[in-house]
Amino acid sequence: MRPNITRLLAQSAFVLIALAVAGWGCIRPFDRLAEYAGPKVSTFGDDSPAEVAQKINFVPGSIIETRQTFLGFGAKLAAALAGEGKEGARIIVVSRFAPMNVADVEWRLVTRVEAESSIAAREAAKKKNEPEPEPEMVDQVSQGGIGGFDLVDAHSLYLPAFWPEQGGAPSLGTSGIWLSDDVFQSLSRNRVATLDFGLLDATINGAIAKVAGFREAFAALQKQVTDVGDRTDVFKLDAEAELASWPLRVNGEDVDVEVIKARNWFGEIVVLNNRQNPLVLKATLNPVASGAGELFSGLGTLKALVGYEVTELRDVQE
């Protein structure tokens, strides 16, 4: 029998949210956009991708919209299916941004998940060998904030899938969803840098790595890293020789921006080619080590959990 795609999406979304919110304290107010004001909002006209990239400057109140790329569905497809409701989008508000220095963010995620009563009803029907009722979906909201992303010399990302639902959460010495200036400069000048995706750091992956199912996935990943560690620098990040263009919606305009594409053993990133605003527009778990493909063919859920893509930027300024 073919799997019910709606049900799979709902169940995966439920797992992602449930893991992120489990027992992590209070949250800061999110509705503070009226407090922020700044210079002229960027417009682009016939600007080249390189010129557009340089006009993207984050200020307090800038909004970054991301989507997880779970179950093989690309983020842009998921955004199109969601329409104007922004269901499944993580809305990130920049609350502090000092280029090449520090950043703070607040975020909110609304996801349609299956109601607990609906899950119980389907389980009961399954035990009785009766037809399962259609899933009943409800909105589930999670939100939080992280302060002190190190944009100076951090060499670790803090991917959104691992962010706790907690106001004022620490950045754990990471650069969050940006590259630090140290990493960006090395990557842009020498086409090589060192970057940790944070997948195996217990202080970063938090409760997710302790949950059955994911625990086995992280253990398998750790074993693979141990196996290849003697002959492969898993953190070495290599950039493609040529810069590339990347489609992005910015301040309501569909534009192409200039990006750096790079990869290490853990996966691939697409980075805005802007030293002061080096946002990681996409992160994909996709190990390139020999034999890793077989390992990760069985870890689709882990790949789904980690992958994300920025689909839209709003209120970025010149």
Side-chain angles (χ1 to χ4, degrees):
M1 180 180 296
R2 295 182 60 187
N4 184 301
I5 296 299
T6 300
R7 184 180 305 165
L8 287 174
L9 287 170
Q11 291 172 343
S12 291
F14 178 82
V15 169
L16 295 176
I17 300 301
L19 293 175
V21 304
W24 269 317
C26 300
I27 53 179
R28 292 188 294 179
F30 183 86
D31 189 17
R32 297 170 52 195
L33 298 184
E35 298 180 14
Y36 301 121
K40 180 181 177 183
V41 173
S42 297
T43 55
F44 307 105
D46 295 325
D47 291 341
S48 68
E51 291 169 331
V52 173
Q54 295 307 311
K55 281 189 174 183
I56 295 176
N57 295 292
F58 296 105
V59 296
S62 293
I63 296 173
I64 303 166
E65 181 177 313
T66 74
R67 289 183 185 271
Q68 302 300 124
T69 53
F70 54 82
L71 287 180
F73 284 83
K76 291 183 173 62
L77 173 58
L81 294 174
E84 295 299 320
K86 301 301 182 187
E87 186 272 319
R90 187 186 300 264
I91 307 299
I92 301 169
V93 178
V94 177
S95 50
R96 178 173 61 148
F97 194 83
M100 301 178 288
N101 187 1
V102 67
D104 300 345
V105 300
E106 298 179 3
W107 61 272
R108 179 168 58 194
L109 175 64
V110 180
T111 309
R112 293 288 288 175
V113 301
E114 186 174 4
E116 292 186 10
S117 58
S118 175
I119 295 173
R122 290 195 300 101
E123 289 299 321
K126 188 183 300 183
K127 290 179 180 178
K128 297 177 182 178
N129 202 25
E130 297 176 349
E132 295 182 27
E134 287 296 315
E136 178 186 347
M137 310 303 292
V138 296
D139 283 341
Q140 183 162 328
V141 180
S142 58
Q143 58 185 13
I146 300 179
F149 285 134
D150 176 4
L151 305 185
V152 180
D153 57 9
H155 283 252
S156 294
L157 299 177
Y158 196 172
L159 300 178
F162 299 139
W163 291 358
E165 187 176 10
Q166 172 186 338
S171 68
L172 304 176
T174 73
S175 58
I177 56 174
W178 288 271
L179 294 186
S180 70
D181 190 53
D182 191 38
V183 173
F184 180 82
Q185 287 276 64
S186 182
L187 202 62
S188 60
R189 291 177 177 177
N190 307 318
R191 317 312 291 172
V192 65
T194 299
L195 186 67
D196 185 351
F197 275 52
L199 300 178
L200 298 179
D201 188 333
T203 61
I204 293 176
N205 60 39
I208 292 175
K210 301 175 184 177
V211 175
F214 289 106
R215 181 169 54 243
E216 289 78 4
F218 282 105
L221 178 59
Q222 178 66 70
K223 181 180 184 303
Q224 183 72 0
V225 169
T226 301
D227 290 344
V228 304
D230 291 340
R231 61 184 186 275
T232 302
D233 182 352
V234 296
F235 302 112
K236 182 187 176 196
L237 187 69
D238 293 302
E240 292 185 359
E242 301 294 332
L243 297 172
S245 294
W246 190 259
L248 187 64
R249 188 165 181 81
V250 184
N251 290 347
E253 299 181 49
D254 292 318
V255 296
D256 289 328
V257 298
E258 188 174 67
V259 298
I260 300 173
K261 293 183 178 181
R263 62 171 59 191
N264 65 13
W265 185 90
F266 289 98
E268 304 164 316
I269 58 172
V270 176
V271 183
L272 186 69
N273 188 30
N274 178 328
R275 181 182 175 186
Q276 293 195 344
N277 303 270
L279 181 67
V280 177
L281 297 174
K282 186 175 183 179
T284 306
L285 180 61
N286 184 29
V288 296
S290 176
E294 292 184 10
L295 169 70
F296 278 83
S297 64
L299 300 184
T301 306
L302 182 57
K303 292 176 68 174
L305 177 68
V306 174
Y308 82 91
E309 182 175 348
V310 173
T311 55
E312 185 174 357
L313 301 176
R314 301 197 293 278
D315 297 325
V316 297
Q317 302 183 348
E318 295 183 0

